[in-house]
Amino acid sequence: MSESPSDGLYEQFLTYFARDQHHLFAYVRSLVPNHADAQDVFQRCSLTLWKNFAVFDQDRPFLSWACRIAFNEVRNYLRTSARDRLQFDDHLLDQLAQQRIADLEHRDARLSALHQCIEGLPTGDRELVRIAYDDTATIAEFAKTSGKSLQSLYNRLSAVRRRLLQCVEHRLSLDEYSI
């Protein structure tokens, strides 16, 4: 059985969509206050993205393109939705949408900087961060097994968090100046 051209297009679409669907839903959710309504808008947006994927310029970021389509779906939803008395006006909605897109674009840079900063920590501090944010262990359990006081671990974690924040901000400022 041979692969049709639409199979390849569908596969490309799924690759982009799977990578960015959580960011896209977060974007829609930030503009549509009710979760169930946001899910409906996201579903319509997903269909519109697929229907228009053939015209997507793959040299440009998929998420930006998808957010523009999602913004139009949100506007259409808000215009046709008369259920809620409180609605965003178009100017406020546009401001919220632009801010959310900027947040999404910077999120990946912040995460990358954070991972680099964590890798630069001494082994003990890196382990403490892992335990603090891992669902399988708690700091209290770590304190018992390591023989360290819980308060000293919390103090150390607080200091590590401050160092990580400074490191991330420093890395982001270096990236900003290198552009």
Side-chain angles (χ1 to χ4, degrees):
M1 188 154 128
S2 67
E3 184 177 305
S4 72
S6 66
D7 290 342
L9 190 65
Y10 184 66
E11 198 171 295
Q12 286 177 314
F13 173 76
L14 286 180
T15 299
Y16 286 116
F17 188 76
R19 181 192 66 211
D20 290 331
Q21 70 180 341
H22 297 293
H23 297 304
L24 186 61
F25 181 75
Y27 174 77
V28 169
R29 182 69 175 95
S30 71
L31 300 173
V32 178
N34 180 287
H35 186 77
D37 293 339
Q39 288 178 316
D40 290 343
V41 171
F42 178 73
Q43 290 302 317
R44 283 195 299 277
C45 174
S46 300
L47 288 172
T48 303
L49 288 170
W50 167 238
K51 288 177 184 175
N52 292 290
F53 187 69
V55 299
F56 168 61
D57 178 1
Q58 294 189 24
D59 292 331
R60 306 197 65 168
F62 177 80
L63 185 58
S64 295
W65 176 73
C67 284
R68 283 194 303 279
I69 289 176
F71 177 74
N72 289 329
E73 290 294 331
V74 168
R75 284 177 50 159
N76 289 339
Y77 163 76
L78 291 176
R79 278 195 199 111
T80 59
S81 170
R83 292 178 294 183
D84 295 328
R85 286 183 272 152
L86 179 61
Q87 295 286 333
F88 296 141
D89 71 1
D90 283 347
H91 179 68
L92 177 59
L93 183 62
D94 187 47
Q95 286 179 322
L96 290 171
Q98 293 303 319
Q99 181 59 48
R100 187 64 184 137
I101 287 173
D103 292 346
L104 287 172
E105 289 171 352
H106 293 352
R107 180 183 178 275
D108 290 337
R110 288 188 73 79
L111 280 175
S112 176
L114 177 60
H115 287 297
Q116 291 172 357
C117 292
I118 289 172
E119 287 303 312
L121 288 174
T123 305
D125 289 347
R126 200 169 46 243
E127 180 68 10
L128 183 60
V129 168
R130 186 193 62 75
I131 289 168
Y133 294 98
D134 188 359
D135 290 337
T136 60
T138 66
I139 295 178
E141 292 168 353
F142 181 65
K144 286 179 187 175
T145 60
S146 69
K148 297 180 180 169
S149 79
L150 186 58
Q151 188 59 48
S152 70
L153 288 176
Y154 278 124
N155 291 344
R156 190 164 125 217
L157 182 60
S158 180
V160 169
R161 286 177 176 151
R162 280 192 302 276
R163 284 199 327 260
L164 285 173
L165 176 62
Q166 291 170 347
C167 177
V168 167
E169 288 175 347
H170 178 72
R171 284 186 179 278
L172 290 175
S173 70
L174 291 176
D175 288 346
E176 191 176 291
Y177 289 118
S178 66
I179 294 175

